Amino acid sequence: MRRGYSRSVPSFDFADHFRRHAREQGPDLIAIDGTDRFLLDEAPHVHGDALRHPGAVTVVDDRYGVLTLGVLALHGASDVRVVQDSLVGERALEASAGTFGRRGFHHPEGFEEAFRDARLVILRLSKSHDRLDEVARAVARFAAPDVVLLCGGRTKYMTLTQNDVLRRSFGEVVASRGRGKSRLLIASDPLRAAAERAAVTDPWPRQVRQDELDITIAAHGGVFAGTSLDIGTRVLLEAAEAAMPEARVVVDLGCGNGVVATVVARSRPRVRVVATDVSAAAIASTRLTADVNGVGDRVRTVRSDAGDELDEDSADLVLCNPPFHADTTVSTDAAEAMFRNAASVLRPGGELWTVWNSHLRYRPVLERMVGPTRQVTRTAKFTVTASVAPR
């Protein structure tokens, strides 16, 4: 890798090519933007040899599957490993791939399997520096010595701190010139000794004692709130102490680091808790948080999109602190999907207790989607409501 990286090549007709075939065979399932194009354009130039060897490429956090399909269709890669934190991204890849007759992607169980002997890792950047740090450390530790980590993101969301994060694990980090509204970071020369040493001294997932709740919080990189207690979650837990004391099955909808699931399981010994999240890292974090606090036997984790994998009429009480950001984008879509699925999961007479930023004014939405809704408490910033499923 040469310093002063400045390659800029013309874009290709990948999106037009695939959209044309998608229209012929079914709905247009491919969503591609300038960052995806830039990453796929540059992959052969940063490590073309890896693309020619089966199993040498791993794609991380491919939002719609377009990066994985691109390295397969455009560059002839095979046996590509795919690491998807979001179940939505995983499903999108399968749906898009099916449109073009491809099936059976390799989704490794953990980072060691994902990056073992990989020579090119393509990563779509999120806003989380912790996610980048955990991935970079794992790549440096497990991948081949000549591995290149090729990262891409929207320029307005990228910071110099991302370069610093990569330099903890790689000897050389080069930034591309901007193209359109995107930029790339190219990391090479893995600091293998430093990565192996960090795995002992500064491991992921991290664990922190939370004195206020008297629990230990465990979190992988990128999980909402990390190893801290989110202030909205605190308000919800305080209010929900009085929520349906007769409940026997409680759902933590959007479990994140597992604080709600763990606190409920510990404070209500007769309750069974189902914790669900769209994020694989959140599910793993919740599992570990429950285990280290001695309630793992009463917390079941389910990876789902807004609770869509949970059984109907299976819960007495649902607790929810819904997100209103999709990475860098403000959105209430996830919250509304959670409310809709909560209504399905609740037994007649069951209750959804929700905490939300008061300016979002969710109460009419909850009334429409779930049932009669009352305000339980309100602080300067947050509102907690209880919505009752019709009998």
Side-chain angles (χ1 to χ4, degrees):
M1 185 67 60
R2 292 184 175 87
R3 296 188 182 276
Y5 180 90
S6 63
R7 177 183 295 277
S8 180
V9 298
S11 187
F12 49 84
D13 62 354
F14 174 74
D16 292 339
H17 172 78
F18 273 80
R19 286 184 179 125
R20 182 170 63 254
H21 285 276
R23 283 193 295 269
E24 293 171 358
Q25 300 182 40
D28 184 359
L29 299 173
I30 297 294
I32 184 170
D33 67 5
T35 302
D36 296 323
R37 291 174 182 262
F38 203 176
L39 284 165
L40 287 170
D41 276 347
E42 296 303 323
H45 303 294
V46 300
H47 207 326
D49 191 52
L51 293 165
R52 293 187 288 272
H53 287 78
V57 178
T58 301
V59 178
V60 182
D61 294 342
D62 185 4
R63 298 181 310 161
Y64 302 111
V66 72
L67 293 174
T68 305
L69 293 172
V71 297
L72 290 168
L74 292 171
H75 304 317
S78 60
D79 296 331
V80 174
R81 287 170 279 184
V82 185
V83 178
Q84 296 277 45
D85 182 56
S86 171
L87 180 61
V88 173
E90 198 170 293
R91 289 174 175 175
L93 169 59
E94 296 294 342
S96 298
T99 304
F100 309 108
R102 292 184 178 269
R103 286 287 191 276
F105 294 96
H106 182 193
H107 296 278
E109 289 295 323
F111 281 163
E112 181 172 359
E113 183 185 352
F115 301 130
R116 176 67 68 191
D117 299 324
R119 301 177 65 199
L120 175 62
V121 177
I122 302 174
L123 168 66
R124 177 80 190 221
L125 290 166
S126 70
K127 68 178 181 180
S128 171
H129 291 172
D130 284 348
R131 174 68 173 174
L132 178 60
D133 184 55
E134 185 172 18
V135 170
R137 288 176 189 268
V139 172
R141 187 180 182 197
F142 299 119
D146 67 340
V147 69
V148 176
L149 175 56
L150 175 63
C151 310
R154 303 283 281 179
T155 302
K156 67 178 179 179
Y157 300 125
M158 295 177 69
T159 68
L160 290 175
T161 304
Q162 291 169 319
N163 301 50
D164 297 333
V165 169
L166 289 171
R167 289 192 181 100
R168 297 170 192 163
S169 300
F170 291 87
E172 182 164 13
V173 178
V174 178
S176 76
R177 292 177 179 172
R179 193 179 88 177
K181 298 180 180 180
S182 302
R183 189 179 296 276
L184 306 181
L185 298 176
I186 305 97
S188 59
D189 185 22
L191 303 175
R192 180 84 33 118
E196 291 175 350
R197 186 166 60 251
V200 176
T201 61
D202 188 20
W204 287 100
R206 291 177 175 154
Q207 297 184 30
V208 173
R209 189 68 186 171
Q210 213 290 326
D211 292 332
E212 181 179 346
L213 297 178
D214 191 29
I215 65 171
T216 296
I217 303 175
H220 285 271
V223 171
F224 173 70
T227 53
S228 65
L229 174 60
D230 170 65
I231 55 176
T233 297
R234 179 192 287 113
V235 173
L236 176 62
L237 285 172
E238 291 173 353
E241 288 181 359
M244 296 193 72
E246 73 280 10
R248 290 295 175 263
V249 178
V250 178
V251 170
D252 177 4
L253 186 56
C255 55
N257 57 18
V259 166
V260 170
T262 296
V263 170
V264 170
R266 194 179 62 173
S267 63
R268 302 187 182 198
R270 297 182 180 180
V271 159
R272 290 188 297 111
V273 179
V274 179
T276 184
D277 204 290
V278 72
S279 161
I283 291 297
S285 301
T286 295
R287 179 80 268 143
L288 185 54
T289 297
D291 287 343
V292 298
N293 289 284
V295 295
D297 59 328
R298 291 190 292 109
V299 175
R300 180 168 71 95
T301 51
V302 179
R303 189 173 176 221
S304 70
D305 179 12
D308 64 354
E309 296 285 343
L310 304 184
D311 294 334
E312 293 185 8
D313 300 334
S314 62
D316 305 300
L317 174 64
V318 176
L319 302 176
C320 183
N321 179 6
F324 63 96
H325 286 89
D327 198 31
T328 55
T329 304
V330 176
S331 172
T332 60
D333 291 348
E336 294 186 10
M338 292 170 121
F339 302 158
R340 188 180 308 110
N341 290 330
S344 174
V345 168
L346 284 170
R347 297 181 178 123
E351 296 186 358
L352 167 64
W353 285 52
T354 311
V355 62
W356 35 280
N357 292 65
S358 299
H359 71 274
L360 295 172
R361 304 185 183 279
Y362 278 146
R363 188 166 177 173
V365 180
L366 289 162
E367 293 266 5
R368 183 177 72 255
M369 290 187 169
V370 183
T373 298
R374 67 185 186 277
Q375 179 176 299
V376 176
T377 188
R378 186 183 181 98
T379 69
K381 186 175 182 180
F382 295 101
T383 297
V384 176
T385 53
S387 306
V388 183
R391 295 185 182 274

